[in-house]
């Protein structure tokens, strides 16, 4: 600094003081100020020896130059798994570099994943015209811009898928993903399932992977769901032919006569209702089945086709035995009503309505036949047609009548 003042007393009129400063300072710092001086009169003669000069030279200080640097913003990046940098900055209008100086920014911030970071500079240097680093001579205030990455839109669409009911959980996580960064893949996290007949949204959730690293947070995932459908399982229920003997009560086949194919391995027949028949005849051997899984009815999961056999109620054999009898001819018609029977249903009764008769010896021996009969059940209803009556007939015989007569004598 070449500035000075005379703090006490004055020079003689016409004299002048010349001061030469020996110290200079370029870079930031502080040094003691030194100077040389001479006093000359008006004629230019050195008169310094005529003065008693004391000095207070002070210090020479160079302060850091203030500089304000603002980095640029980059806000419109869509996630693409690449590292992004924006190497742009400006020195604000209110500050400036010293003449001939230049600045260089190195080691910039970068952004890959969704979010916002400061667009910071890791290393900022200032050089003079000779290429010397003079960064220490500046106080730099940074205003960081922003780097922002937005989520990438991706659409995951699941398939429509269906299966025949088999009693197990059905799921199909097949899907397509549109909009992924090249090289990224999906990994299924969860997939809805369906056991019973019906249809639901085929809901699947996925993580998006970059190799072994999950990058799902960088994506805005939209799901489009297909349908997951379980269709009815076709089965055929077949009843066998069955012949039963009339017993006066309703009768039906047994469960052993019911056959079923294509039943799911998880399920079983839990109840079979068989249509009964009572009287002699041929009927469809109808059955209604109910199917269970783990104790729960699952009939709704089946499309059941029935193929019925024949339930035949056959006549019951009733054995009737008539007794034999002999009559002495008396000119009257004779019948004999004694008979017995076996194998009749308990509570039923056999009633003979008419029989064969015999009058004359010349008829010989005839069968003691019951020519008309009826069978009643315990309610008095005619059930004759339900029986096959087999007769074991006795005989009826008219014996000659013994007579004697005496003729008169004549002379």
């Amino acid at each position: 600094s070449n500035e000075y003042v005379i703090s006490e007393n004055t020079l003689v009129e016409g004299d002048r003081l010349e001061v030469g400063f020996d110290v200079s300072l370029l870079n930031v710092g502080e040094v003691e100020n030194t100077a040389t001086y001479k006093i000359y009169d008006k004629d230019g003669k050195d008169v310094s020896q005529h003065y008693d000069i004391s000095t207070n030279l002070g210090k020479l200080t160079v302060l850091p130059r203030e500089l304000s640097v603002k980095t640029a913003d980059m806000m419109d990046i869509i996630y693409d798994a690449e590292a992004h940098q924006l190497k742009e900055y400006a020195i604000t209008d209110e500050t400036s570099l010293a003449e001939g100086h230049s600045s260089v920014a190195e080691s910039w911030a970068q952004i890959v994943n969704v979010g916002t970071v400061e667009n910071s500079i890791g290393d900022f240097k200032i050089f003079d015209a000779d290429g010397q680093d003079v960064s220490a001579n500046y106080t730099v205030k940074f205003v960081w811009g922003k780097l922002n990455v937005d989520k990438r839109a991706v659409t995951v669409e699941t398939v429509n898928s269906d299966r025949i009911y088999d009693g197990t959980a059905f799921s199909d996580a097949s899907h397509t993903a549109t909009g992924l960064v090249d090289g990224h893949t999906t990994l299924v996290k969860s997939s809805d399932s369906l056991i019973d007949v019906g249809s639901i949204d085929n809901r699947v959730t996925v993580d998006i992977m970059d190799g072994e690293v999950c990058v799902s947070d960088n994506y805005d995932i939209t799901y489009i769901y297909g349908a997951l459908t379980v269709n009815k399982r076709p089965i055929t229920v077949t009843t066998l032919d069955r012949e039963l003997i009339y017993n006066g009560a309703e009768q039906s086949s047994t469960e052993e006569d019911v056959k079923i194919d294509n039943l799911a391995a998880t399920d079983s027949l839990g109840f079979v209702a068989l249509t009964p028949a009572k009287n002699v005849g041929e009927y469809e051997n109808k059955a209604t089945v109910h199917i269970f899984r783990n104790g729960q009815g699952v009939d709704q999961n089946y499309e059941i086709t029935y193929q019925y056999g024949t339930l035949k109620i056959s006549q019951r054999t009733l054995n009737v035995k008539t007794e034999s009898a002999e009559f002495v001819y008396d000119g009257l018609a004779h019948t004999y009503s004694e008979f017995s029977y076996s194998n009749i249903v308990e509570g039923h009764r056999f009633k003979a309505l008419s029989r064969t008769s015999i009058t004359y010896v010349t008829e010989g021996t005839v069968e003691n036949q019951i020519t008309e009969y009826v069978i009643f059940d315990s309610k008095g209803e005619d059930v004759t047609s339900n029986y096959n009556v087999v007769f074991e007939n006795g005989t009826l015989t008219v014996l000659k009548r013994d007579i004697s007569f005496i003729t008169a004598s004549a002379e």
Side-chain angles (χ1 to χ4, degrees):
S1 173
N2 295 322
E3 296 180 357
Y4 64 91
V5 293
I6 298 174
S7 59
E8 293 183 9
N9 298 321
T10 60
L11 294 175
V12 172
E13 186 177 354
D15 288 358
R16 56 184 174 82
L17 175 64
E18 290 186 1
V19 179
F21 290 93
D22 300 330
V23 176
S24 65
L25 186 60
L26 176 64
N27 296 314
V28 168
E30 184 178 78
V31 295
E32 295 291 336
N33 207 2
T34 62
T36 61
Y37 45 86
K38 296 285 185 178
I39 300 174
Y40 297 94
D41 63 14
K42 61 183 178 179
D43 297 322
K45 181 180 177 181
D46 183 356
V47 292
S48 302
Q49 69 274 18
H50 300 294
Y51 286 89
D52 183 11
I53 302 172
S54 62
T55 60
N56 182 6
L57 297 179
K59 294 181 179 182
L60 185 61
T61 303
V62 175
L63 298 173
R65 187 181 185 92
E66 292 187 353
L67 193 66
S68 180
V69 174
K70 184 180 187 309
T71 58
D73 293 325
M74 184 164 58
M75 304 297 289
D76 57 352
I77 311 167
I78 299 298
Y79 173 74
D80 60 4
E82 300 291 338
H84 292 273
Q85 293 178 310
L86 181 59
K87 298 179 180 181
E88 295 180 9
Y89 68 92
I91 297 172
T92 58
D93 292 340
E94 61 270 17
T95 63
S96 64
L97 292 170
E99 185 176 354
H101 287 193
S102 60
S103 61
V104 175
E106 300 175 351
S107 184
W108 286 78
Q110 66 179 24
I111 188 169
V112 177
N113 295 315
V114 166
T116 302
V117 299
E118 292 180 335
N119 189 14
S120 60
I121 299 170
D123 192 6
F124 186 81
K125 293 182 178 180
I126 301 171
F127 298 92
D128 63 15
D130 296 325
Q132 296 299 309
D133 187 345
V134 292
S135 303
N137 293 315
Y138 288 84
T139 298
V140 183
K141 178 182 178 182
F142 292 100
V143 179
W144 303 129
K146 301 294 183 183
L147 300 178
N148 182 76
V149 173
D150 292 325
K151 288 188 175 185
R152 186 180 189 90
V154 64
T155 300
V156 174
E157 185 171 0
T158 61
V159 297
N160 293 315
S161 188
D162 68 288
R163 187 177 74 176
I164 299 295
Y165 168 78
D166 68 359
T168 63
F170 171 51
S171 64
D172 187 346
S174 301
H175 63 275
T176 57
T178 304
L180 292 176
V181 172
D182 286 345
H184 286 191
T185 58
T186 56
L187 177 66
V188 174
K189 291 169 55 180
S190 67
S191 177
D192 283 1
S193 62
L194 183 63
I195 297 177
D196 295 315
V197 166
S199 185
I200 61 172
D201 285 342
N202 189 11
R203 291 181 176 271
V204 171
T205 59
V206 300
D207 276 335
I208 300 177
M209 309 297 294
D210 181 4
E212 298 296 320
V213 179
C214 178
V215 292
S216 298
D217 289 343
N218 293 311
Y219 285 89
D220 183 9
I221 304 174
T222 298
Y223 289 94
I224 300 175
Y225 299 120
L228 196 64
T229 303
V230 173
N231 296 313
K232 287 189 175 185
R233 187 180 188 89
I235 61 171
T236 300
V237 176
T238 303
T239 59
L240 304 180
D241 293 338
R242 174 64 63 181
E243 182 176 1
L244 301 171
I245 302 299
Y246 173 77
N247 67 0
E250 289 190 335
Q251 301 181 82
S252 62
S253 291
T254 63
E255 291 188 10
E256 286 72 20
D257 291 335
V258 179
K259 306 300 179 184
I260 188 168
D261 69 342
N262 203 32
L263 192 68
T266 58
D267 299 350
S268 60
L269 284 177
F271 175 74
V272 179
L274 294 156
T275 301
K278 179 179 179 181
N279 294 316
V280 167
E282 292 188 355
Y283 307 88
E284 279 191 324
N285 194 11
K286 290 184 176 181
T288 301
V289 301
H290 294 282
I291 303 168
F292 291 82
R293 183 187 70 239
N294 298 328
Q296 299 296 319
V298 292
D299 291 355
Q300 73 278 6
N301 293 320
Y302 288 89
E303 187 71 46
I304 304 174
T305 300
Y306 287 94
Q307 294 182 351
Y308 300 127
T310 299
L311 176 62
K312 182 179 181 181
I313 305 296
S314 296
Q315 288 182 318
R316 184 179 190 90
T317 298
L318 177 63
N319 299 306
V320 178
K321 181 179 181 182
T322 61
E323 301 298 329
S324 297
E326 293 179 342
F327 305 96
V328 175
Y329 172 75
D330 59 4
L332 300 176
H334 292 276
T335 61
Y336 192 63
S337 61
E338 293 298 320
F339 66 91
S340 60
Y341 51 82
S342 62
N343 202 38
I344 197 168
V345 173
E346 185 176 356
H348 289 197
R349 59 190 178 85
F350 179 90
K351 181 178 182 180
L353 300 179
S354 64
R355 301 175 176 81
T356 56
S357 65
I358 189 169
T359 303
Y360 301 106
V361 173
T362 54
E363 295 179 60
T365 298
V366 298
E367 288 187 349
N368 186 12
Q369 294 180 348
I370 298 174
T371 57
E372 188 177 355
Y373 55 87
V374 66
I375 303 171
F376 296 102
D377 65 12
S378 58
K379 296 179 180 179
E381 295 179 356
D382 185 348
V383 292
T384 307
S385 61
N386 292 313
Y387 284 89
N388 175 33
V389 181
V390 176
F391 289 95
E392 181 183 347
N393 292 325
T395 60
L396 298 177
T397 305
V398 174
L399 301 176
K400 290 181 178 182
R401 188 178 188 86
D402 291 331
I403 64 170
S404 61
F405 59 89
I406 303 172
T407 62
S409 299
E411 294 181 359

